[in-house]
Amino acid sequence: MLRFLALMFSLLLLLAIIGTGGAVYVFWHYGQSLPDYHQLAHYEPPITTRVYGGDGRLVAEYAVEKRAFLPIDAIPPRIKEAFLSAEDKNFYDHAGVDPIGIARAVVVNIRNKGMGADRRPVGASTITQQVAKNFLLTNEVSIARKIKEAILAFRIERAFSKDHILELYLNEIYLGMGNYGVAAAANSYFNRALDELTVAEAAYLAALPKAPNNYHPIRHAQAAKERRDWVIGRMLEDGRITRAEYEQAVAEPLVMRKRDDGQVIVGADYFAEDIRRDLAARFGEQALYKGGLVVRSTVDAHLQAHASKVLRDGLMSYDRRHGWRGPVTRLPAGQGWQQRLAAVPYPQGAEPWTLAVVLALNEPNALIGFADGRTGTIPWIELRWARPWMKDQEVGPMPRKAGDVVQPGDVVLVEAGARTEEGKTLAAGQYSLRQIPKIEGALVAMDPHTGRVMAMVGGWAYGKSQFNRATQALRQPGSAYKPFVYLPALEHGYTPSSLVLDAPIALPQGPGLPLWRPKNYGGDFLGPTTLRVGIEKSRNLMTVRLAQAIGMNIVADYAQRFGIYDNLPRQLAMALGAGETTVLKLTAAYAQLVNGGKKITPTLIDRIQDRNGRTVFNHDKRFCDGCWPVQYSGQEMPMLPDLREQIIDPVTAYQMVSILEGVVQRGTGRAIASVNKPLAGKTGTSNDSYDVWFVGFSPDLAVGVFVGFDEPQSLGDKETGGSVAAPVFRDFMMEALKDKPATPFRVPPGVRMVRVNASTGKPAMPGEAKAILEAFKSTDRMPSEDEDVLEGEGAEGFTFNPLPTESGPSHGLVMPNAPPPPPTGPAPTSGGLY
């Protein structure tokens, strides 16, 4: 008996030695080339970069993996307990591998197999093993990987605390819908922070790691709730919740909550895309999509939303004036129209309108149907605008009945709840006929004192075109550039009352080329005219004479100072706005007029912080000396230094502001006056009305508006900056300033205000009706009766009669003594017409 026991003991000892040796060999063999687990000490996962508006609302997110990293101390106990119950109840007791869990899994799997149950095998991987797999290994299904996983788990447990391992797990685990980590998942599924989750919601997140796609709360609602309730049951078994909490949790419906619109700034897609490009250029794609940058943008949610609306309204108003281009498509008549309509691709840029098919004509209305089976009508009042579009933005005859606009089978875009041209809201079941405009445009609103861009819209709709016409489109500003020709004149001895001849002029272009004869928009001449009136009435001929007198080198220098052009060609046509610039640049240039001639740099970003909260960019470079301590204890208020470069005399800047205010009061921008607040600005229309502008400002807000086709073509006869762009500017300012006081433009020291006649610029007599206050420098000579007139230099053989004769050529062109030869080459564009 003793011999048998000794034999058995020896055999067991031999087996133990062999087993131990085998285990050592296995550990040695598979532990040779394992990844370095020490890298987990400095875990920096890819984190979502977020862009916020000035009010803290989200503008955009950029990420490869949606994740927000939270340290373990910031993760609520309820979240930890739910995951421990679901994934590894003995986490704080085992050394990396859970023998009890393995034994339980073996028993359960054998039992399920014996009962013939077709169930997914129960796993026994601990949280530490999952960390090893997710961070250091692949998803390969093999015994070798499981051995490596176990070896790494033992090593990780020896190297790191349990809390650090759990922190890694809860921030790295994939939880479906592109979310990594519990913080991102809580926000995505329930629109809540982790500490706001209920027991049921925490349990649902803990139910996801095994198969997140199989437990989607909408697509697989029943399976998701069953899995959630299983986790809640495990939490009860483990003593982590009470019976009352359990019953309340399982009774709670599984409801997915999307992010509220009030938490996101809508309509800022162009804004966000420009910020994305800026971040990529500054920090690289890696930092943008994985670095977890926190960006505080300059966008103002209210102004941005209104900018989108007024620009769309303006583009749609122009588009309706120029006719109906027909239906989106046509459907064959007969049954099944709902299915065929549902199959029609939704046009890009048509949001928020709906596709409908014309079912019948009930003159003068049209009966329409929708893909969901609903029907409605387009009343005649919403059809009568649709004159047929013709070439060159002309329109055909007015329609007399619905059949002149649409036919049964036409698929059209319609809008519910719209207002008619009379301002009345359509009744229920009535719809407005819509079409996506071909015309495009842009709007920029900026703080003129800091350069902070508060609103920017780059086109009709980002879904239609991602091209940003506010920052990427180079277009001719036309007459909107003229103030920067008159500005250097005011700095070189001219006054707002100086006289320039408004009369025909002809200038040589070079050997073999015809003489250049610019013209005024209306073809008329005013004779000797003040600088003020020259801008208020947008006189081209005066602008050319002035640019000729002061020299294009000086004009180009001022264009560069104000950031409009980097290297303006030294051609007189450039003085009429024939060069190309962007809406952002020109708006910033106008902002530097109203801020007193201080240099600003336009920016969409106030501040950027890295993932650790360190500021890596700040637009405001000023240092506040004396801002600490924070508490006020009677000390003097600190003064922030003004670091802006003075690029022109503040008095000269104010003179131009005053003149541009006259554009609104008496000139080409009179459409703006209805805002009833101090405003100034200038219209701009390029040659043949290819580009139309209005750029202007209040004392504290600069705004630029551009409208034009992406493939340049005329907007049509009589379409100018005053008729197309100015109404958009007006509607924007009406809303932006409605709650603001009527602040007058700030007058700097050194300005002498003198009552003058608005037309002649000469000192006004007492009681004179046309008198205005004119801004002069203290060194300026007052205008007199024998004021000199700048006539300029014309081509030899030409005259400068103030007015054309009835027999003279049209549009103010003056013929030489002999008829000119036919053109032999292109003449430069005449630029700003109006």
Side-chain angles (χ1 to χ4, degrees):
M1 185 65 182
L2 290 176
R3 179 179 294 180
F4 175 76
L5 291 175
L7 182 63
M8 291 299 298
F9 177 77
S10 300
L11 183 61
L12 290 174
L13 181 62
L14 180 62
L15 290 174
I17 293 172
I18 293 172
T20 302
V24 170
Y25 174 77
V26 167
F27 270 70
W28 174 84
H29 176 74
Y30 286 104
Q32 288 292 303
S33 57
L34 289 179
D36 181 13
Y37 58 90
H38 292 95
Q39 61 185 282
L40 301 181
H42 306 287
Y43 172 58
E44 288 194 348
I47 300 178
T48 303
T49 289
R50 288 185 170 87
V51 180
Y52 296 95
D55 60 358
R57 284 195 279 170
L58 188 67
V59 175
E61 294 179 316
Y62 303 110
V64 174
E65 300 175 355
K66 287 192 290 185
R67 179 189 284 106
F69 179 82
L70 285 180
I72 191 65
D73 293 339
I75 299 175
R78 177 172 292 169
I79 305 299
K80 303 176 196 175
E81 291 166 353
F83 275 86
L84 291 176
S85 290
E87 294 293 314
D88 190 355
K89 63 179 293 185
N90 299 318
F91 173 71
Y92 280 96
D93 299 320
H94 62 64
V97 176
D98 185 8
I100 298 175
I102 293 174
R104 182 173 60 247
V106 169
V107 171
V108 171
N109 289 330
I110 291 174
R111 185 177 61 198
N112 290 340
K113 194 73 173 175
M115 295 172 61
D118 186 17
R119 294 183 181 179
R120 183 173 177 265
V122 175
S125 291
T126 64
I127 284 177
T128 312
Q129 287 176 273
Q130 293 183 57
V131 167
K133 181 189 73 172
N134 293 338
F135 283 88
L136 304 173
L137 299 172
T138 67
N139 287 324
E140 174 193 2
V141 179
S142 66
I143 295 176
R145 198 218 69 199
K146 293 297 291 184
I147 295 172
K148 292 178 181 180
E149 186 181 287
I151 295 171
L152 283 171
F154 284 125
R155 292 179 179 179
I156 290 171
E157 288 275 351
R158 291 200 307 272
F160 304 111
S161 69
K162 288 285 188 178
D163 281 350
H164 182 70
I165 296 169
L166 187 59
E167 178 184 272
L168 295 174
Y169 174 76
L170 293 177
N171 281 288
E172 179 69 17
I173 191 71
Y174 179 65
L175 296 173
M177 291 175 57
N179 297 289
Y180 290 80
V182 290
N187 188 52
S188 183
Y189 286 107
F190 302 116
N191 191 30
R192 288 183 177 178
L194 285 177
D195 58 358
E196 298 174 325
L197 296 184
T198 65
V199 171
E201 289 167 343
Y204 173 72
L205 296 186
L208 291 171
K210 293 298 182 189
N213 294 331
N214 294 341
Y215 301 121
H216 190 279
I218 296 176
R219 291 197 300 267
H220 306 290
Q222 184 61 34
K225 187 177 186 304
E226 289 175 359
R227 175 70 179 173
R228 182 204 69 174
D229 292 349
W230 176 84
V231 175
I232 297 171
R234 292 293 299 269
M235 293 177 72
L236 177 66
E237 290 176 17
D238 296 342
R240 304 185 191 277
I241 58 174
T242 65
R243 169 62 65 176
E245 288 176 317
Y246 167 80
E247 292 175 354
Q248 181 181 354
V250 294
E252 183 178 311
L254 178 56
V255 179
M256 182 177 176
R257 286 184 292 272
K258 294 184 178 180
R259 184 175 282 150
D260 298 333
D261 288 342
Q263 296 177 299
V264 181
I265 296 179
V266 295
D269 297 319
Y270 289 105
F271 208 106
E273 175 58 17
D274 263 37
I275 289 178
R276 188 199 66 79
R277 287 197 298 267
D278 189 354
L279 295 176
R282 288 176 188 269
F283 304 107
E285 299 282 338
Q286 184 81 2
L288 170 62
Y289 291 105
K290 298 182 178 180
L293 301 173
V294 178
V295 182
R296 180 71 68 175
S297 76
T298 60
V299 64
D300 181 291
H302 172 68
L303 293 182
Q304 181 64 42
H306 192 61
S308 297
K309 180 182 183 302
V310 297
L311 182 64
R312 285 174 66 96
D313 288 349
L315 297 179
M316 193 161 61
S317 176
Y318 168 87
D319 191 64
R320 286 167 69 105
R321 288 200 301 271
H322 292 272
W324 168 246
R325 293 186 297 277
V328 174
T329 187
R330 284 189 55 80
L331 297 180
Q335 297 295 320
W337 60 267
Q338 289 178 244
Q339 293 77 11
R340 291 196 293 272
L341 177 60
V344 174
Y346 188 78
Q348 291 182 333
E351 301 83 359
W353 304 332
T354 308
L355 281 173
V357 61
V358 178
L359 299 176
L361 300 179
N362 183 18
E363 299 292 359
N365 306 326
L367 176 66
I368 58 174
F370 298 92
D372 60 3
R374 291 178 299 116
T375 60
T377 61
I378 306 176
W380 171 244
I381 196 172
E382 286 301 300
L383 288 168
R384 65 185 184 185
W385 67 267
R387 301 170 69 178
W389 176 87
M390 300 177 68
K391 188 179 178 181
D392 299 327
Q393 309 310 318
E394 298 291 339
V395 291
M398 289 289 294
R400 298 180 180 275
K401 59 184 186 300
D404 294 337
V405 180
V406 293
Q407 291 294 319
D410 284 353
V411 176
V412 296
L413 288 164
V414 296
E415 181 180 13
R419 291 184 178 273
T420 66
E421 293 178 357
E422 290 76 17
K424 297 179 180 179
T425 303
L426 291 175
Q430 292 187 330
Y431 297 83
S432 294
L433 180 66
R434 295 289 186 240
Q435 69 179 355
I436 301 172
K438 285 189 174 295
I439 194 78
E440 282 289 359
L443 186 152
V444 170
M446 178 185 300
D447 181 337
H449 309 294
T450 62
R452 299 175 69 249
V453 177
M454 304 173 76
M456 178 173 67
V457 188
W460 166 259
Y462 189 78
K464 176 187 173 188
S465 167
Q466 288 77 54
F467 182 67
N468 190 340
R469 295 151 192 88
T471 59
Q472 294 177 296
L474 291 170
R475 306 300 290 244
Q476 293 182 350
S479 295
Y481 176 65
K482 287 177 182 174
F484 301 95
V485 177
Y486 286 71
L487 195 67
L490 292 172
E491 285 226 306
H492 287 77
Y494 289 81
T495 75
S497 293
S498 296
L499 298 177
V500 179
L501 184 62
D502 182 30
I505 188 171
L507 299 165
Q509 301 184 83
L513 295 175
L515 294 169
W516 178 48
R517 298 183 180 90
K519 58 187 179 181
N520 289 327
Y521 179 76
D524 62 334
F525 313 117
L526 301 178
T529 306
T530 64
L531 263 66
R532 170 179 283 280
V533 174
I535 292 186
E536 288 182 355
K537 305 297 184 184
S538 200
R539 312 304 290 180
N540 289 344
L541 298 171
M542 290 177 61
T543 307
V544 170
R545 282 188 169 86
L546 200 59
Q548 184 187 54
I550 61 177
M552 284 302 296
N553 284 332
I554 292 177
V555 172
D557 172 56
Y558 276 71
Q560 189 167 15
R561 283 196 211 181
F562 280 84
I564 304 171
Y565 304 114
D566 292 330
N567 188 19
L568 184 69
R570 272 56 168 176
Q571 300 169 3
L572 285 174
M574 298 296 115
L576 298 180
E580 294 179 332
T581 189
T582 67
V583 181
L584 182 65
K585 287 182 177 180
L586 195 58
T587 305
Y590 272 73
Q592 291 165 122
L593 294 175
V594 73
N595 73 15
K598 299 279 192 177
K599 185 71 175 177
I600 59 172
T601 302
T603 184
L604 309 183
I605 299 172
D606 279 333
R607 185 178 64 171
I608 304 172
Q609 294 171 286
D610 65 14
R611 66 193 300 151
N612 299 313
R614 183 173 60 94
T615 297
V616 293
F617 169 81
N618 201 332
H619 175 67
D620 192 342
K621 305 299 182 185
R622 296 175 297 174
F623 176 75
C624 182
D625 187 17
C627 285
W628 302 97
V630 177
Q631 292 79 12
Y632 177 69
S633 56
Q635 71 268 35
E636 291 188 5
M637 296 299 292
M639 295 291 292
L640 287 171
D642 188 350
L643 305 179
R644 297 172 297 174
E645 177 189 356
Q646 190 75 48
I647 55 177
I648 58 166
D649 182 357
V651 176
T652 304
Y654 177 74
Q655 287 179 306
M656 183 52 64
V657 168
S658 176
I659 292 172
L660 292 174
E661 193 174 12
V663 172
V664 173
Q665 295 168 347
R666 294 172 297 278
T668 58
R670 288 188 299 276
I672 309 302
S674 60
V675 179
N676 290 321
K677 297 285 175 69
L679 292 172
K682 183 72 185 72
T683 54
T685 308
S686 71
N687 202 40
D688 294 328
S689 296
Y690 276 32
D691 311 279
V692 296
W693 301 67
F694 192 93
V695 190
F697 42 74
S698 69
D700 298 307
L701 185 64
V703 177
V705 177
F706 155 77
V707 177
F709 290 98
D710 282 348
E711 296 182 4
Q713 57 183 290
S714 176
L715 271 69
D717 290 343
K718 299 182 181 179
E719 294 289 14
T720 65
S723 65
V724 181
V728 177
F729 178 95
R730 175 198 64 208
D731 294 346
F732 180 81
M733 283 300 198
M734 193 81 75
E735 177 68 20
L737 303 179
K738 69 177 183 180
D739 297 325
K740 308 290 184 185
T743 306
F745 289 104
R746 300 170 183 90
V747 183
V751 173
R752 181 169 45 156
M753 304 300 292
V754 179
R755 289 181 74 253
V756 302
N757 180 286
S759 300
T760 67
K762 294 180 173 57
M765 301 300 292
E768 190 168 332
K770 286 188 173 182
I772 63 169
L773 283 175
E774 188 60 273
F776 292 91
K777 295 184 176 74
S778 57
T779 56
D780 283 343
R781 180 180 60 84
M782 290 297 100
S784 61
E785 291 298 328
D786 57 348
E787 187 76 15
D788 292 336
V789 178
L790 174 63
E791 295 186 352
E793 299 178 5
E796 184 178 356
F798 282 73
T799 60
F800 296 94
N801 298 322
L803 295 173
T805 63
E806 290 185 4
S807 60
S810 63
H811 300 297
L813 300 186
V814 177
M815 298 290 288
N817 296 330
T824 57
T829 176
S830 59
L833 298 179
Y834 192 53

